[in-house]
């Protein structure tokens, strides 16, 4: 779960849809269960643990990250494995396509 949230944050940040601390994620716990391969009860427990330890919270289709380094550590996530560049994007673009004006 921590790896999925960290990776989603990194990918969305690369296209301008996350500020590194929060992003929209319009899915429910059943979807998270299917994505991560965990049973729904375990998804609930992990999300509660992350919230109680003030690492991140998933509320109303929004993820809020309070401690990104800790989240990445728990999920054993290394953003360099994604080969993403920090680039200027046009947030108005539905796919976050690179702005050709710069």
């Amino acid at each position: 779960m921590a790896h999925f949230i960290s990776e989603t944050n990194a990918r969305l940040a690369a296209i301008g849809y996350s500020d590194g601390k929060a992003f929209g994620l319009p899915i429910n716990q059943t979807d998270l269960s299917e994505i991560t391969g965990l049973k729904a009860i375990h998804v609930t427990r992990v999300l509660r643990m992350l919230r109680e330890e003030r690492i991140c919270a998933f509320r109303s289709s929004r993820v809020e990250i309070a401690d990104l380094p800790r989240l990445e550590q728990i999920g054993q996530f290394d953003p360099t494995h994604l080969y993403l560049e920090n680039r200027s994007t046009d947030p108005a673009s539905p796919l976050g396509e690179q702005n050709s004006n710069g």
Side-chain angles (χ1 to χ4, degrees), residues 6-79:
S6 297
E7 182 171 337
T8 301
N9 179 60
R11 290 180 180 277
L12 291 176
I15 60 171
Y17 284 100
S18 172
D19 63 4
K21 295 183 179 185
F23 58 90
L25 190 63
I27 61 177
N28 59 37
Q29 288 188 11
T30 301
D31 296 330
L32 286 172
S33 174
E34 292 178 14
I35 290 166
T36 60
L38 297 172
K39 294 194 181 273
I41 188 69
H42 296 301
V43 169
T44 301
R45 288 178 182 161
V46 170
L47 291 176
R48 184 178 63 232
M49 183 271 305
L50 293 171
R51 183 182 63 248
E52 288 175 352
E53 293 190 19
R54 294 188 171 114
I55 296 167
C56 77
F58 179 66
R59 293 185 194 104
S60 302
S61 298
R62 184 151 182 86
V63 175
E64 296 174 3
I65 301 170
D67 190 346
L68 183 59
R70 182 76 177 118
L71 181 68
E72 290 177 346
Q73 179 186 24
I74 291 168
Q76 299 177 357
F77 176 71
D78 181 355

Side-chain angles (χ1 to χ4, degrees), residues 77-88:
F77 176 71
D78 181 355
T80 62
H81 291 164
L82 297 179
Y83 302 103
L84 297 172
E85 299 174 16
N86 287 337
R87 59 185 176 184
S88 176

